[in-house]
Amino acid sequence: MSLAYIIHLANYSDGVLYLLMILLAVELAVIFDRFWFLRTAMAKGRKVLWMVSNRGKLRRPDLEEIATLAKGLPEESLIGVALRHFNLVHHYGTARGEAFANRLDEAIFLTTPSLDKRLWILDTIVTLAPLLGLFGTILGMFHAFSILAAPGHNPASVTGGVADALIATACGLFIAMIGLLSFNAFNNAIDKTIFQLESLKVVLMNRLDGAPVVLDEPAGGVSRREALGQVASQA
């Protein structure tokens, strides 16, 4: 497909194909941005969860070390809450107070909107691209059937014009399919990231209280290592 033919198709749809190309460029930019962010958040967030899970009773130096690893991650807000309230928690000798749990929940609520940042653009493109492609096809049909009004028209020109007009619809559907697949994949990654945040909340409360999540070797059950592996695999 030559550049001249692409320009012909774009002009045949009265410029709608150019708009579809812009939508595709915006879509790919959002996909790359969200893929890189969520991939990093999930991978490094899992490391933070494992680091906290493998500790005994957490102390301030431990939290500061974990905060360094969580820098720039969604988990950073939860570690920050634990650091800010460490002295208060240590004074009362427990991290299981409702107030401390509410502060961790608040950190999760405030962090969650940043996870689906700019995904509304993908959602909009998924709906807009097919409609815009159909609109371009309708405009192309006007050009195709206008040939019938000319005396001595060539029927092959009409069928060729219809085929060219349908390219806009095909492009719109293609853009929508890419956006839909990416949108669903990102939503799944966001759900897993939120699960990691909820898991980190529970683990932080247990570790600040000095209590392990499971016994090292429970009788008739799975080992602590296997239990942690199940949590990490779910995340």
Side-chain angles (χ1 to χ4, degrees):
M1 184 179 293
S2 64
L3 178 61
Y5 183 60
I6 294 176
I7 295 175
H8 162 72
L9 293 176
N11 294 332
Y12 210 73
S13 64
D14 286 344
V16 171
L17 209 58
Y18 291 125
L19 295 178
L20 289 173
M21 292 178 183
I22 294 175
L23 284 184
L24 178 60
V26 172
E27 180 181 68
L28 293 177
V30 173
I31 289 174
F32 177 79
D33 172 71
R34 290 294 87 190
F35 172 78
W36 185 259
F37 172 79
L38 291 173
R39 179 178 178 272
T40 303
M42 288 182 61
K44 292 188 176 181
R46 191 177 297 114
K47 292 181 180 178
V48 172
L49 180 60
W50 268 85
M51 178 179 289
V52 178
S53 300
N54 289 327
R55 300 294 178 92
K57 185 176 178 63
L58 287 174
R59 304 188 183 280
R60 177 172 289 276
D62 299 320
L63 289 174
E64 291 174 348
E65 178 185 355
I66 297 169
T68 302
L69 179 62
K71 189 71 174 177
L73 300 177
E75 287 78 6
E76 181 182 7
S77 59
L78 274 75
I79 304 299
V81 169
L83 273 171
R84 288 193 298 272
H85 299 282
F86 179 82
N87 291 333
L88 179 62
V89 170
H90 183 70
H91 175 73
Y92 287 102
T94 179
R96 293 183 177 275
E98 182 179 354
F100 182 66
N102 288 338
R103 292 187 183 99
L104 291 175
D105 284 332
E106 180 183 357
I108 294 176
F109 293 151
L110 294 176
T111 301
T112 300
S114 65
L115 299 178
D116 60 357
K117 186 178 180 181
R118 286 186 287 275
L119 284 188
W120 67 269
I121 298 178
L122 284 184
D123 193 20
T124 302
I125 290 177
V126 167
T127 304
L128 179 61
L131 296 177
L132 197 58
L134 181 60
F135 180 66
T137 293
I138 293 174
L139 294 178
M141 289 291 189
F142 290 155
H143 294 295
F145 288 110
S146 64
I147 300 176
L148 295 176
H153 63 271
N154 184 3
S157 299
V158 178
T159 56
V162 171
D164 291 343
L166 290 174
I167 294 294
T169 297
C171 291
L173 292 175
F174 176 73
I175 293 172
M177 286 187 290
I178 294 177
L180 181 61
L181 291 173
S182 302
F183 183 78
N184 290 336
F186 291 151
N187 278 330
N188 183 56
I190 289 172
D191 290 340
K192 290 182 178 181
T193 303
I194 294 175
F195 176 78
Q196 286 184 179
L197 293 175
E198 295 285 352
S199 300
L200 181 60
K201 168 197 166 183
V202 176
V203 173
L204 274 174
M205 294 181 67
N206 285 332
R207 290 306 182 271
L208 288 175
D209 197 30
V213 176
V214 293
L215 297 176
D216 287 338
E217 294 294 338
V222 297
S223 66
R224 179 172 179 270
R225 182 182 298 274
E226 291 172 343
L228 291 175
Q230 293 174 4
V231 172
S233 63
Q234 293 175 2

